[in-house]
Amino acid sequence: MTIEQIYTGCLAQGAYYIVSNGEAAIIDPLREVTPYLERAEKDNVKIKYVFETHFHADFVSGHLSLSEKTGAPIIYGPNANPSFEAIIAEDGQVFNIGDVTITAIHTPGHTMESTTFLLKDKDGNEEAIFTGDTLFLGDVGRPDLAQKAADMTREQLAEILFDSLRNKIMTLPKHLTVYPGHGAGSACGKNMMKETVDTLENQLQINYALRADMTKSEFVSELLDGLAEPPAYFPLNVKMNKEGYQHFDQVL
């Protein structure tokens, strides 16, 4: 099994390339998919699935192009309703890639479809989580980007995120490696670390949003405190990713 983080510094974004026994999965690909295709060809593996942790607001995903070029289905978590063909995974649904598995864990709050993907090795041991914008290193995803689509206040979304973190992520084995969707510099959070990989155990110790004694009201207050207005182009990117547009002039 191989896990590679493909990090793009200008976007502070992490995409992931996972390989096992001749098959590969890509998580949160960027718009330019040639690097993924070239890497798979070099490794002589078939890209079996394209996983999306949520509808991205800060960049246009390459999910459609990658699916069209490889035949790999696109997978979203529960509550996603894209305008193109995709597998909408159930909470707990398992996908096989070679000798390993990826389990969809529904973790709404940043967006209502936000999903964390849990990787298990060939023996069924939990190895890593790909948390998208649910859990960052040192921070968690902002809960105000999905207000309009979810018809909720940012406070309500923050409360949902609190429950997702406590009930779905903080209960996982502490040794897990955390692979987030973004690092420091992204507008999707406010207090991210410069590191791009960490353990869940360390995050439980240092991430302000994962304090064991934190109440839901404290979480909401601290998460929303000092939250800047999101960039104006974010809603347009979400629309492009959700409806399948690949160029800005299609939605303007």
Side-chain angles (χ1 to χ4, degrees), residues 40-248:
E41 181 178 8
K42 176 184 177 183
D43 293 343
N44 193 28
V45 298
K46 174 181 174 55
I47 296 177
K48 187 175 182 180
Y49 293 118
V50 179
F51 291 93
E52 290 281 3
T53 56
H54 64 295
F55 293 119
H56 306 287
D58 60 310
F59 68 94
V60 178
S61 175
H63 53 334
L64 283 173
S65 295
L66 198 53
S67 180
E68 290 170 358
K69 292 178 183 297
T70 65
I74 301 165
I75 298 173
Y76 280 96
N79 295 332
N81 57 340
S83 299
F84 46 84
E85 185 175 352
I87 295 173
I88 307 304
E90 297 180 0
D91 189 20
Q93 186 168 346
V94 178
F95 299 88
N96 294 289
I97 298 96
D99 296 326
V100 305
T101 63
I102 291 181
T103 302
I105 302 176
H106 190 209
T107 50
H110 172 67
T111 67
M112 290 307 293
E113 78 283 352
S114 287
T115 296
T116 293
F117 294 107
L118 170 65
L119 176 67
K120 296 182 181 180
D121 68 16
K122 62 183 179 64
D123 297 317
N125 301 311
E126 295 98 337
E127 288 287 331
I129 46 176
F130 303 86
T131 54
D133 289 18
T134 295
L135 173 63
F136 297 128
L137 304 187
D139 200 4
V140 294
R142 57 190 300 165
D144 59 328
L145 302 182
Q147 287 178 245
K148 187 175 181 180
D151 193 26
M152 295 179 181
T153 66
R154 62 181 192 168
E155 286 79 11
Q156 290 172 317
L157 284 163
E159 290 177 351
I160 292 172
L161 180 58
F162 176 88
D163 291 335
S164 291
L165 292 166
R166 261 65 189 172
N167 300 330
K168 295 294 189 68
I169 290 183
M170 293 173 66
T171 58
L172 291 170
K174 293 181 180 180
H175 72 268
L176 288 175
T177 301
V178 178
Y179 292 105
H182 291 288
S186 169
C188 293
K190 63 179 182 179
N191 192 39
M192 286 178 258
M193 297 163 53
K194 67 179 185 301
E195 292 81 6
T196 61
V197 178
D198 199 5
T199 63
L200 180 58
E201 181 176 20
N202 193 48
Q203 285 303 302
L204 290 170
Q205 295 174 355
I206 68 173
N207 191 319
Y208 78 95
L210 303 185
R211 294 200 313 271
D213 61 348
M214 195 179 215
T215 66
K216 183 177 289 189
S217 61
E218 287 173 338
F219 175 86
V220 172
S221 177
E222 291 188 36
L223 182 57
L224 299 182
D225 182 48
L227 201 60
E229 286 296 315
Y233 66 87
F234 271 26
L236 182 60
N237 273 355
V238 171
K239 184 175 182 179
M240 292 176 72
N241 287 318
K242 185 175 182 179
E243 299 187 10
Y245 299 115
Q246 297 293 288
H247 302 285
F248 284 105

